[in-house]
Structures are given as structure tokens and as C-alpha cells.
Amino acid sequence: MLLHPNQREKLDPTDDKLFYDQPRFVTHVDTGFIQQLTDLYRDRLKPNSRIFDMMSSWVSHLPDDVQFEHIEGHGLNAAELARNPRLNHYFVQNLNLDPKFPLPDQSFDAVLNTVSVQYVQYPEAVFTEIHRVLKPGGIVIISFSNRMFYQKAIAAWRDGSERDRVELVKNYFKAVPGFSEPEVVIKQSQIPPVFQMLGMGGGDPFYAVIASRVE
């Protein structure tokens, strides 16, 4: 067991679908973060490949100049997913209640999760599913910043520092046999936290933890 029961707890324990019932047509990170993520996708994702955009929204931040064979979306709000122009198909499912993806084995070249991993209560099961649907050699990109819906993030995430959260995601990969050693991409804000608290923003910090299916 990777997490203890108390580490999985949320301040708001109600069904996540209730919290996400109303669509939020906003971006949850700043433009600098989004540009770094799009650049990372352009660098790491192969054109004409099959992508699973897990816990997605109305925008996927994929590069406009790269075409993919198929992009499968998933989330908790159908209205948001329906507005996402990059998705070829999508499904709505609460992974904290049912972590089993309705997707075939080894059917995707890449799995993406953008600023949502902090809400996963059973990462052991979810990352096992990620491994299952990836083709051998397929890549996983888990990106996040320091923003969150605090009441819906798990305790292990809320209580940790930003570096702790990087290690947490690395451990999610390491808990499932068959992933490569996780690679970490970090670009932190250049403004000290005390000045950020006073409204002097230096941009959202950017974190990505990347691994591949090796077996």
C-alpha cells in the first residue's frame, strides 16, 4: 500500500461529481505554465499517435500544429469535455469510485494528466490502469503546479511541500512494475514565496513527472 487511509482523505468527502457538476470554462494555471506544457508536449509526443487525456477539461493544451490519430478524453464534467476541440471521443467517470478505464489494453501511445493528479485517492489502481492501456514504449506525462482545489486534494498532497509532491508522483510510478525511472522537469517561480503572497507573481511553478512503459 502506497498511501495510508488518512493520506487519501479530502476535506470535502462528498462525491466528486457534485463538486464538478457545474462547468468551469477557465484555465487553472497561468499562461506561462500552459506554454511550457504545450512545448513539452510538442517535444515528447509523436505526431499521428494515440493520446489519452485523463482528467481533462475544455482545453488540452496540445500544440495546434501537431495532429494526432486519436485523442480520448476523460473527466467529470461532460459540458467541459464536449467543448474541447481536440477530443475525438470522451467519457465521464469518477476514478475515485471506479479506477478501471473502459479502454483496451495497450491502446495508447501517451497518457496525459494535467493539474489533476492531486485529486486521485487511489493512485496505485489508477497508475496500474495507466500502465495497462499504454503501448510498450508509451509515455506518461503528469504535470502540476502549486494550485489546487484545496478541499478536494488528498491529505498527502495538501500536507506536503512542492518537492514532496514531486516525490509523491515519482512514487506513484515506482509502485507499479513496468514503468521506467521517472524523469522530473521543474521550472520554479523566480519570485520568493513571501513576495508571491503579497501579490508579486513570478509565474506558476511548473512540474512534470514523466515515465514510459518498459514492459
Side-chain angles (χ1 to χ4, degrees), residues 15 22 52 55 60 65 74 82 88 91-92 94 154 167 182 186:
D15 189 332
Q22 295 299 315
F52 177 37
M55 303 176 76
S60 292
D65 56 335
H74 155 263
N88 300 109
F91 63 95
V92 175
N94 185 348
I154 65 170
E167 292 302 315
I186 298 176

mmCIF file of all heavy atoms in Angstrom, residues 15 22 52 55 60 65 74 82 88 91-92 94 154 167 182 186:
data_model
loop_
_atom_site.group_PDB
_atom_site.id
_atom_site.type_symbol
_atom_site.label_atom_id
_atom_site.label_comp_id
_atom_site.label_asym_id
_atom_site.label_seq_id
_atom_site.Cartn_x
_atom_site.Cartn_y
_atom_site.Cartn_z
ATOM 1 N N ASP A 15 -19.254 13.272 -2.929
ATOM 2 C CA ASP A 15 -18.982 12.736 -4.256
ATOM 3 C C ASP A 15 -18.361 13.827 -5.136
ATOM 4 O O ASP A 15 -18.900 14.925 -5.277
ATOM 5 C CB ASP A 15 -20.289 12.245 -4.879
ATOM 6 C CG ASP A 15 -20.075 11.458 -6.171
ATOM 7 O OD1 ASP A 15 -19.072 11.699 -6.868
ATOM 8 O OD2 ASP A 15 -20.926 10.600 -6.479
ATOM 9 N N GLN A 22 -21.044 21.729 -12.154
ATOM 10 C CA GLN A 22 -21.129 22.928 -12.984
ATOM 11 C C GLN A 22 -19.821 23.102 -13.766
ATOM 12 O O GLN A 22 -18.745 23.016 -13.189
ATOM 13 C CB GLN A 22 -21.389 24.164 -12.129
ATOM 14 C CG GLN A 22 -22.738 24.148 -11.440
ATOM 15 C CD GLN A 22 -23.884 24.100 -12.426
ATOM 16 O OE1 GLN A 22 -23.891 24.831 -13.420
ATOM 17 N NE2 GLN A 22 -24.868 23.248 -12.164
ATOM 18 N N PHE A 52 -4.347 9.542 -24.621
ATOM 19 C CA PHE A 52 -5.412 9.519 -23.622
ATOM 20 C C PHE A 52 -5.200 10.695 -22.682
ATOM 21 O O PHE A 52 -4.228 10.734 -21.927
ATOM 22 C CB PHE A 52 -5.405 8.201 -22.843
ATOM 23 C CG PHE A 52 -6.428 8.132 -21.734
ATOM 24 C CD1 PHE A 52 -7.687 8.696 -21.875
ATOM 25 C CD2 PHE A 52 -6.129 7.492 -20.541
ATOM 26 C CE1 PHE A 52 -8.628 8.643 -20.857
ATOM 27 C CE2 PHE A 52 -7.065 7.416 -19.517
ATOM 28 C CZ PHE A 52 -8.320 7.987 -19.677
ATOM 29 N N MET A 55 -8.555 12.957 -16.939
ATOM 30 C CA MET A 55 -8.967 14.046 -16.054
ATOM 31 C C MET A 55 -8.821 15.380 -16.784
ATOM 32 O O MET A 55 -8.251 16.337 -16.284
ATOM 33 C CB MET A 55 -8.188 14.004 -14.736
ATOM 34 C CG MET A 55 -8.330 12.668 -14.005
ATOM 35 S SD MET A 55 -7.342 12.494 -12.499
ATOM 36 C CE MET A 55 -8.294 13.492 -11.350
ATOM 37 N N SER A 60 -6.983 21.030 -23.837
ATOM 38 C CA SER A 60 -5.970 20.009 -23.556
ATOM 39 C C SER A 60 -4.542 20.533 -23.611
ATOM 40 O O SER A 60 -3.615 19.808 -23.276
ATOM 41 C CB SER A 60 -6.112 18.845 -24.546
ATOM 42 O OG SER A 60 -7.315 18.139 -24.315
ATOM 43 N N ASP A 65 -0.217 22.778 -33.964
ATOM 44 C CA ASP A 65 0.417 22.400 -35.219
ATOM 45 C C ASP A 65 0.787 20.924 -35.290
ATOM 46 O O ASP A 65 1.435 20.492 -36.237
ATOM 47 C CB ASP A 65 1.668 23.252 -35.450
ATOM 48 C CG ASP A 65 2.660 23.153 -34.296
ATOM 49 O OD1 ASP A 65 2.236 22.847 -33.167
ATOM 50 O OD2 ASP A 65 3.859 23.379 -34.531
ATOM 51 N N HIS A 74 -11.212 12.212 -20.881
ATOM 52 C CA HIS A 74 -11.920 11.727 -19.691
ATOM 53 C C HIS A 74 -12.021 12.882 -18.710
ATOM 54 O O HIS A 74 -11.134 13.741 -18.623
ATOM 55 C CB HIS A 74 -11.164 10.563 -19.040
ATOM 56 C CG HIS A 74 -11.472 10.440 -17.580
ATOM 57 N ND1 HIS A 74 -10.650 10.973 -16.600
ATOM 58 C CD2 HIS A 74 -12.532 9.900 -16.926
ATOM 59 C CE1 HIS A 74 -11.189 10.751 -15.415
ATOM 60 N NE2 HIS A 74 -12.322 10.103 -15.579
ATOM 61 N N ALA A 82 -17.188 18.219 -23.884
ATOM 62 C CA ALA A 82 -17.835 18.411 -25.179
ATOM 63 C C ALA A 82 -17.310 19.648 -25.898
ATOM 64 O O ALA A 82 -17.317 19.712 -27.131
ATOM 65 C CB ALA A 82 -19.345 18.527 -24.991
ATOM 66 N N ASN A 88 -11.453 13.423 -29.794
ATOM 67 C CA ASN A 88 -12.233 12.639 -30.749
ATOM 68 C C ASN A 88 -13.357 11.884 -30.064
ATOM 69 O O ASN A 88 -14.364 11.541 -30.685
ATOM 70 C CB ASN A 88 -11.331 11.640 -31.479
ATOM 71 C CG ASN A 88 -10.230 12.316 -32.254
ATOM 72 O OD1 ASN A 88 -9.058 12.240 -31.873
ATOM 73 N ND2 ASN A 88 -10.578 12.995 -33.339
ATOM 74 N N PHE A 91 -15.263 10.174 -22.186
ATOM 75 C CA PHE A 91 -16.180 9.515 -21.256
ATOM 76 C C PHE A 91 -16.085 10.196 -19.903
ATOM 77 O O PHE A 91 -15.058 10.797 -19.561
ATOM 78 C CB PHE A 91 -15.898 8.008 -21.149
ATOM 79 C CG PHE A 91 -14.542 7.643 -20.589
ATOM 80 C CD1 PHE A 91 -14.370 7.361 -19.238
ATOM 81 C CD2 PHE A 91 -13.425 7.570 -21.423
ATOM 82 C CE1 PHE A 91 -13.133 7.008 -18.730
ATOM 83 C CE2 PHE A 91 -12.178 7.223 -20.914
ATOM 84 C CZ PHE A 91 -12.027 6.943 -19.561
ATOM 85 N N VAL A 92 -17.160 10.125 -19.147
ATOM 86 C CA VAL A 92 -17.241 10.713 -17.811
ATOM 87 C C VAL A 92 -17.199 9.586 -16.793
ATOM 88 O O VAL A 92 -17.984 8.631 -16.877
ATOM 89 C CB VAL A 92 -18.536 11.535 -17.656
ATOM 90 C CG1 VAL A 92 -18.674 12.051 -16.229
ATOM 91 C CG2 VAL A 92 -18.559 12.689 -18.653
ATOM 92 N N ASN A 94 -15.860 8.838 -12.427
ATOM 93 C CA ASN A 94 -15.188 9.195 -11.185
ATOM 94 C C ASN A 94 -14.167 8.115 -10.854
ATOM 95 O O ASN A 94 -14.537 7.028 -10.386
ATOM 96 C CB ASN A 94 -16.217 9.348 -10.062
ATOM 97 C CG ASN A 94 -15.596 9.826 -8.766
ATOM 98 O OD1 ASN A 94 -14.371 9.837 -8.607
ATOM 99 N ND2 ASN A 94 -16.429 10.216 -7.816
ATOM 100 N N ILE A 154 -6.070 15.382 -1.907
ATOM 101 C CA ILE A 154 -5.879 14.411 -0.831
ATOM 102 C C ILE A 154 -4.893 14.954 0.202
ATOM 103 O O ILE A 154 -4.072 15.830 -0.094
ATOM 104 C CB ILE A 154 -5.403 13.047 -1.370
ATOM 105 C CG1 ILE A 154 -4.007 13.152 -2.017
ATOM 106 C CG2 ILE A 154 -6.415 12.474 -2.359
ATOM 107 C CD1 ILE A 154 -3.391 11.802 -2.342
ATOM 108 N N GLU A 167 8.068 14.016 -5.307
ATOM 109 C CA GLU A 167 8.449 12.669 -4.860
ATOM 110 C C GLU A 167 7.235 11.755 -4.792
ATOM 111 O O GLU A 167 7.326 10.553 -5.082
ATOM 112 C CB GLU A 167 9.140 12.743 -3.500
ATOM 113 C CG GLU A 167 10.505 13.413 -3.543
ATOM 114 C CD GLU A 167 11.462 12.707 -4.498
ATOM 115 O OE1 GLU A 167 11.537 11.457 -4.467
ATOM 116 O OE2 GLU A 167 12.121 13.420 -5.294
ATOM 117 N N PRO A 182 11.281 7.486 -13.218
ATOM 118 C CA PRO A 182 10.641 8.762 -13.561
ATOM 119 C C PRO A 182 11.645 9.884 -13.794
ATOM 120 O O PRO A 182 12.647 10.008 -13.082
ATOM 121 C CB PRO A 182 9.767 9.049 -12.337
ATOM 122 C CG PRO A 182 9.570 7.731 -11.660
ATOM 123 C CD PRO A 182 10.837 6.968 -11.907
ATOM 124 N N ILE A 186 11.361 20.610 -13.855
ATOM 125 C CA ILE A 186 10.953 21.627 -12.887
ATOM 126 C C ILE A 186 11.359 23.005 -13.387
ATOM 127 O O ILE A 186 12.498 23.203 -13.824
ATOM 128 C CB ILE A 186 11.592 21.386 -11.497
ATOM 129 C CG1 ILE A 186 11.154 20.051 -10.907
ATOM 130 C CG2 ILE A 186 11.229 22.527 -10.535
ATOM 131 C CD1 ILE A 186 11.832 19.727 -9.578
#
